[in-house]
Amino acid sequence: MPLVPPKSARPPREAHRIDEASLTRWLVANVDACRGGGSATALQFQGGQSNPTYWIGFSGPDGDQELVLRKKPPGELLPSAHAVEREYRVMRALAGSDVPVPEALALCEDPAVIGTPFFVMRHVPGRIFWDPQLPGTSGPDERRAIYDDLVRALAALHRVEYAAVGLGDYGKIGGFVPRQVQRWSRQYEASRTGDVPAMEALMAFLGKSAPKHDETTLVHGDYRIDNVIFAGSEPRALAIIDWELSTLGHPVSDLAYLCMGYHLALPGRGSLVGADFGALGIPDEPGIVEAYCKLTGRGAIEDWPYFMAFGIFRLAAIAQGVYKRSLQGNASSESAGAFGAAVFALADLGCNIAGVRPG
């Protein structure tokens, strides 16, 4: 039976085409399931604003394989960005843990193969929910169960003994928030395309008001519902994907990032702003925080507005990078140009939550 690509996969855009013959040779030499020979077909998934992601259909005498390839984008890149090597490492380390991850198969750091470094993992069929209100699900009970498992998977990640799984050097211990404010401020400045007064005010506030309580766990860095693949017939998280921003850091930063959908919408994604939570069966923001606290054995979270403003600031800096890449013509998504306006809206929202007045 021939391989059937996912509906969300399409022929790659011109800037993201890869040499299928070269990829085939590499797969045969480096992936056990492909060693008998064969041929690879590459189609690009929608989404993936940072690292282009491809469905790889591999047909060979030993059977057909469905793989996923993540690569760095073409063109000039910001320092430390698009770290596919780190994505590969963290997924390998979490294999067999309570954290659901795809099976990472092989890493290629040689740009000569398809133009940039990349890694290959096994394809995980399932559902990705681009709209956090979960249209198309069976009803309130399923929607609540999906969110319950979304929070469960995050709590499992934060309970991982990172040193025991070989990630003791995956980031610095302590001081995560101040370092992240500095890092994303630099990233923003490096991709700046104009003046955004609210971003200046938000950067200043975050730089001088860091929470006093500090802790360190493994963090995903971009934890939201559309970065989790759920089973097709049950409300169970099968795989957390897109680990590019993972590191050792403050766990509440992940929780706040997950809850940003209660405050905003992004291009191409839905929102929980104004949602009827009772009718939908989806927990509201306090309900998500309460469930997480129960699973991680903690009380009320301190400095919640700071962490929310911090997450929105970081998202604004990421959006600025996507927008600049769209101007350069090497963004991964066709909708990248819409992120220019998002920078202004996000910066204003961050200031409102933090109680900061721009300029």
Side-chain angles (χ1 to χ4, degrees):
M1 185 174 180
L3 289 168
V4 179
K7 293 181 180 179
S8 58
R10 62 177 188 266
R13 296 165 60 198
E14 186 61 36
H16 294 134
R17 293 189 183 279
I18 60 178
D19 185 335
E20 293 178 338
S22 181
L23 175 62
T24 295
R25 290 191 293 271
W26 184 88
L27 289 171
V28 170
N30 293 277
V31 175
D32 288 345
C34 303
R35 296 208 184 262
S39 61
T41 300
L43 297 176
Q44 189 171 8
F45 283 108
Q46 67 180 17
Q49 297 293 345
S50 183
N51 291 330
T53 306
Y54 302 77
W55 175 85
I56 306 298
F58 186 90
S59 298
D62 295 335
D64 295 338
Q65 306 292 327
E66 288 190 84
L67 309 173
V68 172
L69 182 149
R70 289 265 287 176
K71 69 185 289 290
K72 295 189 179 188
E76 183 178 351
L77 306 179
L78 294 174
S80 77
H82 311 286
V84 295
E85 302 88 350
R86 288 176 64 83
E87 289 191 83
Y88 177 78
R89 180 185 175 190
V90 72
M91 287 194 293
R92 293 280 288 191
L94 291 173
S97 73
D98 290 335
V99 183
V101 292
E103 182 185 0
L105 299 173
L107 169 69
C108 177
E109 298 180 275
D110 182 3
V113 177
I114 61 169
T116 66
F118 67 93
F119 72 90
V120 173
M121 54 188 163
R122 198 169 297 283
H123 178 247
V124 179
R127 295 180 290 175
I128 295 179
F129 297 109
W130 294 99
D131 186 334
Q133 294 194 30
L134 309 183
T137 48
S138 63
D141 289 344
E142 184 183 19
R143 286 190 284 268
R144 174 164 289 279
I146 287 170
Y147 271 87
D148 286 347
D149 215 48
L150 181 67
V151 177
R152 178 204 61 78
L154 180 62
L157 172 63
H158 294 164
R159 290 196 303 267
V160 169
E161 295 183 9
Y162 51 85
V165 297
L167 296 174
D169 62 346
Y170 198 61
K172 294 181 180 179
I173 309 299
F176 171 76
V177 172
R179 285 197 308 276
Q180 283 285 293
V181 171
Q182 293 174 3
R183 175 192 174 185
W184 288 106
S185 295
R186 290 194 301 268
Q187 297 282 57
Y188 172 75
E189 294 292 348
S191 57
R192 175 196 288 272
T193 54
D195 293 330
V196 184
M199 278 294 281
E200 303 293 341
L202 197 53
M203 283 190 287
F205 164 76
L206 294 171
K208 66 183 181 183
S209 307
K212 295 178 181 177
H213 177 69
D214 197 10
E215 57 183 298
T216 301
T217 68
L218 185 63
V219 295
H220 180 271
D222 193 15
Y223 195 78
R224 57 181 193 254
I225 197 164
D226 55 281
N227 274 335
V228 179
I229 300 173
F230 285 84
S233 58
E234 58 180 315
R236 180 167 57 91
L238 297 179
I240 302 171
I241 57 176
D242 198 354
W243 290 86
E244 178 192 348
L245 300 178
S246 61
T247 188
L248 300 183
H250 201 301
V252 177
S253 65
D254 266 350
L255 181 63
Y257 204 81
L258 172 61
C259 289
M260 282 195 295
Y262 293 98
H263 300 272
L264 56 87
L266 289 176
R269 294 181 175 88
S271 173
L272 292 172
V273 176
D276 185 340
F277 298 109
L280 289 169
I282 293 172
D284 59 12
E285 183 178 318
I288 291 285
V289 173
E290 180 182 3
Y292 174 83
C293 287
K294 287 181 179 178
L295 289 168
T296 55
R298 67 175 69 223
I301 293 175
E302 301 175 0
D303 300 300
W304 182 246
Y306 180 97
F307 279 102
M308 185 59 65
F310 165 64
I312 290 170
F313 158 73
R314 192 180 61 173
L315 189 60
I318 293 171
Q320 180 62 45
V322 173
Y323 178 60
K324 184 173 184 179
R325 289 196 300 278
S326 76
L327 298 180
Q328 296 170 333
N330 65 343
S332 302
S333 170
E334 295 172 354
S335 65
F339 279 68
V343 177
F344 286 86
L346 289 167
D348 285 339
L349 176 61
C351 284
N352 289 337
I353 290 174
V356 174
R357 180 174 294 179

PDB file of all heavy atoms in Angstrom, residues 54 158 231 242 245 269 301 318:
ATOM      1  N   TYR A  54       9.574  18.686   7.718  1.00  0.00           N
ATOM      2  CA  TYR A  54       9.173  17.940   6.530  1.00  0.00           C
ATOM      3  C   TYR A  54       8.671  16.546   6.899  1.00  0.00           C
ATOM      4  O   TYR A  54       9.223  15.882   7.792  1.00  0.00           O
ATOM      5  CB  TYR A  54      10.362  17.763   5.579  1.00  0.00           C
ATOM      6  CG  TYR A  54      11.004  19.051   5.122  1.00  0.00           C
ATOM      7  CD1 TYR A  54      11.861  19.755   5.964  1.00  0.00           C
ATOM      8  CD2 TYR A  54      10.763  19.560   3.846  1.00  0.00           C
ATOM      9  CE1 TYR A  54      12.457  20.938   5.548  1.00  0.00           C
ATOM     10  CE2 TYR A  54      11.356  20.733   3.412  1.00  0.00           C
ATOM     11  CZ  TYR A  54      12.205  21.424   4.278  1.00  0.00           C
ATOM     12  OH  TYR A  54      12.799  22.598   3.876  1.00  0.00           O
ATOM     13  N   HIS A 158       8.526  18.899  34.100  1.00  0.00           N
ATOM     14  CA  HIS A 158       9.164  19.659  35.180  1.00  0.00           C
ATOM     15  C   HIS A 158       9.599  18.773  36.353  1.00  0.00           C
ATOM     16  O   HIS A 158      10.384  19.221  37.194  1.00  0.00           O
ATOM     17  CB  HIS A 158       8.217  20.760  35.665  1.00  0.00           C
ATOM     18  CG  HIS A 158       7.970  21.813  34.625  1.00  0.00           C
ATOM     19  ND1 HIS A 158       6.933  22.722  34.694  1.00  0.00           N
ATOM     20  CD2 HIS A 158       8.628  22.095  33.464  1.00  0.00           C
ATOM     21  CE1 HIS A 158       6.976  23.521  33.639  1.00  0.00           C
ATOM     22  NE2 HIS A 158       7.987  23.150  32.876  1.00  0.00           N
ATOM     23  N   ALA A 231      -3.484  11.683  20.526  1.00  0.00           N
ATOM     24  CA  ALA A 231      -3.996  10.484  19.860  1.00  0.00           C
ATOM     25  C   ALA A 231      -5.253  10.828  19.072  1.00  0.00           C
ATOM     26  O   ALA A 231      -6.003  11.745  19.422  1.00  0.00           O
ATOM     27  CB  ALA A 231      -4.289   9.405  20.892  1.00  0.00           C
ATOM     28  N   ASP A 242       8.743  20.344  18.813  1.00  0.00           N
ATOM     29  CA  ASP A 242       9.321  21.684  18.723  1.00  0.00           C
ATOM     30  C   ASP A 242      10.065  22.058  20.004  1.00  0.00           C
ATOM     31  O   ASP A 242       9.676  22.961  20.741  1.00  0.00           O
ATOM     32  CB  ASP A 242       8.241  22.719  18.408  1.00  0.00           C
ATOM     33  CG  ASP A 242       8.843  24.018  17.887  1.00  0.00           C
ATOM     34  OD1 ASP A 242      10.078  24.138  17.888  1.00  0.00           O
ATOM     35  OD2 ASP A 242       8.083  24.921  17.492  1.00  0.00           O
ATOM     36  N   LEU A 245      13.626  25.660  21.844  1.00  0.00           N
ATOM     37  CA  LEU A 245      13.896  26.621  22.920  1.00  0.00           C
ATOM     38  C   LEU A 245      14.052  25.960  24.279  1.00  0.00           C
ATOM     39  O   LEU A 245      14.133  26.643  25.305  1.00  0.00           O
ATOM     40  CB  LEU A 245      12.773  27.662  22.983  1.00  0.00           C
ATOM     41  CG  LEU A 245      12.571  28.496  21.711  1.00  0.00           C
ATOM     42  CD1 LEU A 245      11.402  29.449  21.886  1.00  0.00           C
ATOM     43  CD2 LEU A 245      13.844  29.254  21.360  1.00  0.00           C
ATOM     44  N   ARG A 269      -3.847  31.135  14.331  1.00  0.00           N
ATOM     45  CA  ARG A 269      -4.235  30.333  15.494  1.00  0.00           C
ATOM     46  C   ARG A 269      -5.435  30.975  16.164  1.00  0.00           C
ATOM     47  O   ARG A 269      -5.647  32.179  16.095  1.00  0.00           O
ATOM     48  CB  ARG A 269      -3.079  30.227  16.491  1.00  0.00           C
ATOM     49  CG  ARG A 269      -1.881  29.454  15.945  1.00  0.00           C
ATOM     50  CD  ARG A 269      -0.775  29.376  16.990  1.00  0.00           C
ATOM     51  NE  ARG A 269       0.322  28.531  16.522  1.00  0.00           N
ATOM     52  CZ  ARG A 269       1.336  28.963  15.811  1.00  0.00           C
ATOM     53  NH1 ARG A 269       1.399  30.235  15.471  1.00  0.00           N
ATOM     54  NH2 ARG A 269       2.293  28.142  15.427  1.00  0.00           N
ATOM     55  N   ILE A 301       1.220  30.483  42.940  1.00  0.00           N
ATOM     56  CA  ILE A 301       2.416  30.911  42.220  1.00  0.00           C
ATOM     57  C   ILE A 301       2.648  32.398  42.431  1.00  0.00           C
ATOM     58  O   ILE A 301       1.745  33.223  42.216  1.00  0.00           O
ATOM     59  CB  ILE A 301       2.285  30.585  40.726  1.00  0.00           C
ATOM     60  CG1 ILE A 301       2.284  29.068  40.544  1.00  0.00           C
ATOM     61  CG2 ILE A 301       3.403  31.231  39.919  1.00  0.00           C
ATOM     62  CD1 ILE A 301       2.048  28.615  39.130  1.00  0.00           C
ATOM     63  N   ILE A 318      10.293  36.826  19.394  1.00  0.00           N
ATOM     64  CA  ILE A 318      10.271  35.757  18.390  1.00  0.00           C
ATOM     65  C   ILE A 318       9.527  36.234  17.145  1.00  0.00           C
ATOM     66  O   ILE A 318       9.976  36.023  16.005  1.00  0.00           O
ATOM     67  CB  ILE A 318       9.615  34.491  18.966  1.00  0.00           C
ATOM     68  CG1 ILE A 318      10.489  33.887  20.080  1.00  0.00           C
ATOM     69  CG2 ILE A 318       9.368  33.457  17.864  1.00  0.00           C
ATOM     70  CD1 ILE A 318       9.812  32.771  20.853  1.00  0.00           C
TER      71      ILE A 318
END
